[in-house]
Amino acid sequence: MNAPNKFQVRSGTRYSLAALALSAVIAAAIAACSSQAAPGEGAAPPAPEVSVATVLSKPVRQWDDFTGRVSAVETVELRPRVSGYVERVAYKEGQEVKKGDLLFVIDQRRYRAELARAQANLERARSEARLAQTQDARAATLLEAKAISREEFDSRKAATAQGNAGVNAAQAAVESAQLDLQFTQVRSPIDGRAGRAMVTEGNLAQADSTLLTTVVSLDPVHVYFESDEQTYLRYNQLARDGERAAAGNPVRIGLANEEGYPHTGKLDFTDNQVDSNTGTIRARAVVPNPDRVFTPGLFARVQIEGSAQFKAMLIDDKAVLTDQDRKYVYVLGPKNTAVRKDVVLGRMVDGLRVVNSGLAPADKVVVHGVQKIFFPGMPVAPKLIAMGAPAPTQQVAMK
């Protein structure tokens, strides 16, 4: 065997020294990493920050929610009482009108002529009646003198009665002609707002058939809505118990573009039967409209005071979670832990949810940050806020 030369010995020695140095560097790095990770190994993550609020207990009244439509108290379809060509439209479409304001004028010439003829007939009838009366008086004198027969006297007396009847008939014809002439001026029968003119100048309007326009009253207005059977029966029970009258219940109204229910009114009518097809009954509220906020046909949200005042526990609806068919909330437990409590909920009152059972008045309910709680008993960092308040922008843990 040949002995290794000097170059091979030096090269192998150099490679061995380099490998040894690399191993030392790797070991040092691993040791450094281990020394840095060791102090934090096994430490728990910080508790999530949540907002908690004490259950709000206060007297409330229950309000039932419905949807309805605004309707005018009075709606008139204006049609002419006499036929003729429309001579003038005397109003501006869409304007408010008062009772008696002139809206349309129908050609009056024919009706003026009819009135003149009737007046002439009346004068003729009066003249004939005066002549008959004079002849009747003369016949009475002649009868006493036995200058005429009883038969002729009776004939003259009948002529007098006939003349008087003719005067009455002619007088009635004059009054009828005066009415027809008056009806050529179509006036608003109510205070309200006039609609579009359905017939314009020059068109023929037929008596009792041609629609000229519509007029709707504006103040007050009605709001019609439907109530289900259960609510209707509950209100009837309240009325029988004397807690609430069937009519006169306070009503709150809100329109589609409004927040809450800024308008007030009262219930003034409930229908006399339940619709068997829908299981609902129609009711009506009357609402003042001095500012013309309501227009017939608008959608309206309706609330009716459905109970007497009672004390209730209220929470923010954002705190409520669902587990299949059960509702629950997290409350602040010992050592700032989240404790689950199943609850039975009621209606919404003033933006908060009524809790019928499941909570105590002193409970602090987790409102904001419930999504950070993954299991009951989990530690949390609570910040106390008022019930119903918005989530704080920067939460600070309670001491």
Side-chain angles (χ1 to χ4, degrees):
M1 181 183 307
N2 294 330
N5 58 35
K6 293 180 180 181
F7 176 77
Q8 291 175 334
V9 172
R10 289 177 182 175
S11 178
T13 304
R14 185 165 63 252
Y15 293 153
S16 299
L17 291 175
L20 181 60
L22 181 59
S23 300
V25 171
I26 294 174
I30 293 174
C33 292
S34 299
S35 63
Q36 292 177 1
E41 185 177 356
E49 295 182 352
V50 297
S51 299
V52 299
T54 304
V55 173
L56 181 61
S57 298
K58 69 174 186 178
V60 298
R61 294 182 183 273
Q62 178 176 308
W63 293 81
D64 295 311
D65 297 326
F66 306 93
T67 58
R69 289 283 174 182
V70 178
S71 177
V73 174
E74 297 178 288
T75 301
V76 178
E77 291 186 344
L78 210 58
R79 303 178 190 273
R81 298 188 181 185
V82 294
S83 298
Y85 288 91
V86 176
E87 186 177 272
R88 180 161 62 98
V89 178
Y91 77 103
K92 184 178 180 181
E93 294 173 311
Q95 77 176 60
E96 286 194 31
V97 295
K98 297 292 184 181
K99 182 178 181 179
D101 284 355
L102 181 64
L103 302 183
F104 293 86
V105 178
I106 295 175
D107 188 2
Q108 298 179 332
R109 291 173 294 180
R110 180 165 68 90
Y111 296 100
R112 291 186 186 278
E114 289 293 334
L115 177 59
R117 179 189 302 175
Q119 289 172 337
N121 290 335
L122 175 61
E123 290 302 320
R124 184 177 61 185
R126 285 173 176 171
S127 177
E128 292 175 351
R130 284 193 296 269
L131 176 61
Q133 290 172 355
T134 301
Q135 291 177 346
D136 185 26
R138 187 181 300 114
T141 303
L142 294 175
L143 181 64
E144 290 179 357
K146 296 184 178 180
I148 61 173
S149 65
R150 169 65 64 176
E151 180 180 359
E152 186 176 355
F153 172 77
D154 291 341
S155 177
R156 292 184 179 182
K157 194 172 185 65
T160 300
Q162 186 176 0
N164 291 337
V167 170
N168 292 336
Q171 182 65 47
V174 168
E175 292 176 357
S176 177
Q178 287 175 336
L179 280 176
D180 287 345
L181 179 60
Q182 180 182 342
F183 290 153
T184 60
Q185 295 184 339
V186 182
R187 300 179 180 273
S188 174
I190 61 171
D191 295 343
R193 177 173 286 125
R196 178 171 67 94
M198 307 302 293
V199 178
T200 54
E201 296 178 9
N203 287 285
L204 177 63
Q206 295 288 349
D208 302 325
S209 63
T210 303
L211 177 63
L212 299 178
T213 189
T214 57
V215 182
V216 295
S217 62
L218 298 175
D219 185 22
V221 295
H222 284 154
V223 178
Y224 285 92
F225 58 95
E226 309 288 335
S227 171
D228 61 272
E229 290 185 21
Q230 292 293 335
T231 304
Y232 172 68
L233 293 174
R234 175 160 53 83
Y235 275 85
N236 270 357
Q237 186 61 48
L238 289 173
R240 288 194 296 270
D241 295 341
E243 295 184 20
R244 182 76 59 220
N249 275 18
V251 175
R252 302 191 296 198
I253 306 294
L255 297 177
N257 66 333
E258 294 175 331
E259 295 291 336
Y261 300 84
H263 312 284
T264 58
K266 64 179 181 179
L267 188 71
D268 76 327
F269 165 76
T270 303
D271 210 346
N272 59 358
Q273 59 182 340
V274 175
D275 188 336
S276 59
N277 294 322
T278 62
T280 60
I281 187 169
R282 171 162 287 194
R284 184 181 71 195
V286 58
V287 184
N289 189 31
D291 300 328
R292 307 300 189 257
V293 176
F294 297 98
T295 299
L298 285 177
F299 169 82
R301 296 173 291 109
V302 184
Q303 277 193 338
I304 299 182
E305 189 176 358
S307 70
Q309 194 175 65
F310 64 97
K311 191 170 184 179
M313 293 186 294
L314 304 171
I315 63 172
D316 196 318
D317 217 22
K318 291 187 287 293
V320 180
L321 301 172
T322 301
D323 181 8
Q324 294 183 354
D325 60 341
R326 292 179 297 179
K327 302 291 184 181
Y328 69 95
V329 297
Y330 282 113
V331 301
L332 193 62
K335 298 181 180 181
N336 288 346
T337 57
V339 177
R340 169 174 167 165
K341 283 193 173 183
D342 291 347
V343 293
V344 177
L345 303 177
R347 294 175 176 267
M348 294 291 291
V349 174
D350 298 331
L352 298 177
R353 177 69 65 178
V354 174
V355 178
N356 294 331
S357 63
L359 291 179
D363 282 341
K364 292 180 174 60
V365 180
V366 178
V367 178
H368 305 293
V370 291
Q371 70 277 4
K372 302 175 184 178
I373 302 174
F374 301 115
F375 55 88
M378 180 177 174
V380 293
K383 175 180 175 57
L384 186 63
I385 62 172
M387 186 62 74
T393 55
Q394 189 174 11
Q395 296 182 346
V396 180
M398 291 173 56
K399 299 294 185 180

